Amino acid sequence: NIKIKSIMTKNPITVLPDLTVEETAEILLENKISGAPVVDDKGKVVGVITQTDIFKILISLTGVGKRGIQFAFQVENRPGSIREVADVIRNHGGRMASILSSYDNVSKGYRKVYIRMYDIDRHKLQKLQDDLRNTAELLYFADHRENLPKTYQE
């Protein structure tokens, strides 16, 4: 017969509804919590945000639901460097589901770029990789075939 009031967090960390998903994720991570009440400017609880909600957004933003192929590059941090690799993909008939970039773990003057694409003829994949390597440093690629279930298969 344990009452909730005896185990609940009395002054929980809360977030405002107009924070971005990234800002909210940062708060959850910094405080090592898996969720937080969302409160309006009067302190009234209007919802709850959880890690699961953030995972759903991450999946949506990365385009992984489209399956396809993800390429990771290291490119110079200059105007047009992402467009150059995107143009190579487009020239091979690929369509992009997402483009993300990061400055984590790169040398000064560079950034990492992750492009998820689909609608590419996999018989021409080697030529695409060769053309991409001539444009930027290709770190890896992962082929997530559209016709496979979500679990890994050879």
Side-chain angles (χ1 to χ4, degrees):
N1 291 343
I2 298 174
K3 303 282 184 184
I4 295 296
K5 67 181 180 181
S6 67
I7 60 170
M8 71 179 197
T9 302
K10 295 191 181 4
N11 294 309
I13 294 167
T14 61
V15 296
L16 297 171
D18 60 350
L19 287 181
T20 65
V21 172
E22 300 91 341
E23 290 168 323
T24 303
E26 190 174 42
I27 290 169
L28 297 182
L29 184 63
E30 285 174 356
N31 291 283
K32 297 180 176 80
I33 56 176
S34 61
V38 180
V39 297
D40 65 15
D41 56 352
K42 294 178 177 58
K44 180 182 176 206
V45 174
V46 295
V48 174
I49 186 77
T50 67
Q51 287 177 335
T52 300
D53 298 320
I54 292 172
F55 291 156
K56 287 177 184 175
I57 295 294
L58 178 64
I59 288 167
S60 174
L61 290 174
T62 63
V64 74
K66 283 279 199 190
R67 310 314 295 155
I69 301 169
Q70 182 185 51
F71 289 95
F73 305 94
Q74 180 168 286
V75 300
E76 290 180 54
N77 186 27
R78 61 174 171 73
S81 62
I82 295 174
R83 182 178 179 192
E84 291 167 5
V85 293
D87 285 347
V88 171
I89 291 170
R90 280 199 265 322
N91 290 339
H92 282 268
R95 298 183 62 201
M96 282 168 270
S98 69
I99 300 176
L100 302 170
S101 72
S102 171
Y103 293 97
D104 289 344
N105 301 313
V106 294
S107 301
K108 185 176 181 176
Y110 290 89
R111 70 168 129 174
K112 290 181 183 172
V113 176
Y114 305 89
I115 298 178
R116 180 170 305 279
M117 55 170 289
Y118 59 101
D119 282 354
I120 190 73
D121 181 346
R122 284 183 168 79
H123 295 99
K124 299 178 182 177
L125 191 53
Q126 187 59 55
K127 172 72 170 128
L128 171 58
Q129 290 177 63
D130 292 342
D131 289 350
L132 287 169
R133 282 187 181 99
N134 290 329
T135 306
E137 181 183 350
L138 180 60
L139 301 174
Y140 71 82
F141 83 97
D143 189 349
H144 303 277
R145 299 196 181 262
E146 290 91 353
N147 58 347
L148 292 180
K150 295 193 189 276
T151 56
Y152 178 78
Q153 291 188 6
E154 296 249 355

